[in-house]
Amino acid sequence: MKLINHLAVIGSIFLFVGCKDKTATNETDKKPNIVFIMSDDHAYQAISAYDDKLIQTPNIDRIANEGMLFTNATVTNSICAPSRAVILTGKHSHINGKIDNLSKFDTTNVTFPQILQKAGYQTAMFGKLHFGNNPKGFDEFKILPGQGSYYNPRFITQKGDTIIKGYVTDITTDLTLDWMKNRRDPNKPFMLMYLHKAPHRAWLPNKKHYTEFTKKTFPLPETLFDDYNTRSTAAKTAEMGIFKHMSLINDVKLRPETVKELGIKQWSRLGQSIGRLDSVQRADWDAVYNPIDEDFKKRYPTMNDSTFTVWKYQRYMQDYLGTIASVDENVGRVLDYLDEEKLADNTIVVYTSDQGFYLGEHGWFDKRFMYNESFKTPLLIKWPNKITAGITEDEMVQNLDFAQTFLEVAGVKAPKEMQGESLVPLLTGKKEAWDREAVYYHYYEYPAEHAVKRHYGIATKEYKLIHFYHDVNEWELYDSKKDPNEVNNVYNDPEYADVVKEMTQKLKEVRKKYKDSETLDNYYIELYNKKK
């Protein structure tokens, strides 16, 4: 009898071990989950994995520490909605039709979430889409209308609009975690788009962070007082200067009556951006920002152009970086959940921005130009058991590549019309399969806000060639190795004649490869004029 019992126990052990091994195999065989985290206007200079002079971002850095940090990630068109259209479609702006923030997104475009949904992925989107109120390919979404609001924001859902009290970065994360905890199907792989409004203008931080960050002082960028001496007309006429174009009311948060009292003539007429605060929130805000206002009134009479620029820069950084502190905290909440629920090992996590941003470089805020600070975008990816932790990658990659990357990760064939390249070879240590020499860029939204002229160009690791067109015909060439700050245009330097010739030919080839042309340039100019 005892022998039979022992045999039964041994059999049970083997059965248990066998089941456990089978489960482990099934877990390994499951398609990877995809978590795509994107902020709006998050400069790579404001992520400590890239540069820790301005802020510490330990949670975003975790993605790089556990995965890969890309140092040459760029966008195809540095403006919010077009960038998002490129990400979703895997096609350049001139092909998907979303060339600027004014044009409508052509919903006949097939997006990678639609393809993944059809392939059996559960899909969800929370946060800021910035175009379209009914995104295709999602089982659930809760998105901000247009730019959305930092405080007490309204969300669009499949069941109608709803206003949620609180701070948008926290709320977006609450909604994301609620879906993961309560409506995610554990039997399906999932693709989650977790999209932050921050740090988009007007840079309104949460109370805990504006209380902290308004006391900080930040180092000045080398090119804060750039004179654009060798640059074309475009750099000299752009309307994004901190000194001249940054709003004292909307951007640096002075009271309208103070600006009027001091007789300051503003270029920008943007009004206050804190209208959604309730009485308690407004009292908290005033307790911190009114003393800043009073201090400015005392300082202003003795300020010159330089000291005024520096003061505005500091105020800009205090609020901009304060919003990023919330993003970093909340990214940590999502990463912690993935770890706690044992989902991390089979999940690829991407952190990026819809483009870069000027944090005082060249005296600017905003983006749009092909110069590095707006052209380059942060990109950090972790994928346990696939990416060797702590790797830095300097290959030229773009937001154009995300769609095809996610489809390959999911084992789904990408449509032929997609124009990017899957990053999977780079992620999995097969760098020899990557052969891109140059990336292409094209900006269209002119004449419009910030007055950045239309331009297109290519960048390699060594050089960048830009052509400004429409109401000008000007060229710029930068030696990226010798002139990383891009202050010396060498297009007309005889020593670079061969480089100009080579890069111009390469630009023609790349334009042809991506099916862009002068004919399309003219078409979009005419279309834009009709819309205006």
Side-chain angles (χ1 to χ4, degrees), residues 248-290:
L248 287 170
I249 298 169
N250 181 73
D251 297 329
V252 297
K253 321 303 190 305
L254 291 180
R255 290 178 293 187
E257 52 268 34
T258 295
V259 176
K260 185 177 180 181
E261 177 186 332
L262 294 173
I264 304 173
K265 293 183 179 180
Q266 284 206 92
W267 177 280
S268 173
R269 298 300 176 192
L270 291 173
Q272 286 183 299
S273 51
I274 53 174
R276 295 184 71 87
L277 293 173
D278 65 25
S279 58
V280 174
Q281 293 167 331
R282 182 59 191 261
D284 290 336
W285 174 276
D286 287 344
V288 171
Y289 284 92
N290 283 355

Side-chain angles (χ1 to χ4, degrees), residues 24-164:
T25 302
N26 288 342
E27 288 295 324
T28 305
D29 290 344
K30 277 185 179 180
K31 290 187 175 183
N33 306 308
I34 300 165
V35 176
F36 181 72
I37 310 172
M38 185 165 70
S39 297
D40 194 312
D41 293 344
H42 192 171
Y44 62 88
Q45 313 93 286
I47 294 177
S48 49
Y50 287 97
D51 191 335
D52 62 1
K53 292 188 185 77
L54 294 175
I55 190 171
Q56 293 294 326
T57 53
N59 294 295
I60 297 171
D61 291 359
R62 278 167 62 184
I63 301 172
N65 295 337
E66 297 174 20
M68 185 174 287
L69 179 76
F70 287 83
T71 57
N72 266 323
T74 62
V75 296
T76 63
N77 185 357
S78 184
I79 187 168
C80 299
S83 176
R84 293 159 193 266
V86 169
I87 289 168
L88 287 170
T89 64
K91 296 184 286 188
H92 274 279
S93 300
H94 62 275
I95 300 295
N96 69 50
K98 184 66 176 167
I99 61 166
D100 52 44
N101 279 340
L102 304 176
S103 56
K104 290 183 178 180
F105 178 64
D106 181 357
T107 56
T108 63
N109 280 299
V110 176
T111 65
F112 80 82
Q114 289 174 276
I115 298 170
L116 289 178
Q117 187 184 49
K118 191 174 180 181
Y121 270 71
Q122 188 179 17
T123 57
M125 175 189 283
F126 302 98
K128 182 176 180 180
L129 174 60
H130 195 196
F131 66 86
N133 294 340
N134 191 14
K136 290 184 177 181
F138 292 94
D139 298 310
E140 182 174 329
F141 63 82
K142 291 183 174 68
I143 60 172
L144 297 163
Q147 292 289 359
S149 303
Y150 274 102
Y151 304 125
N152 308 323
R154 180 163 66 93
F155 281 84
I156 297 165
T157 79
Q158 282 127 317
K159 297 180 180 179
D161 292 6
T162 181
I163 293 174
I164 305 176

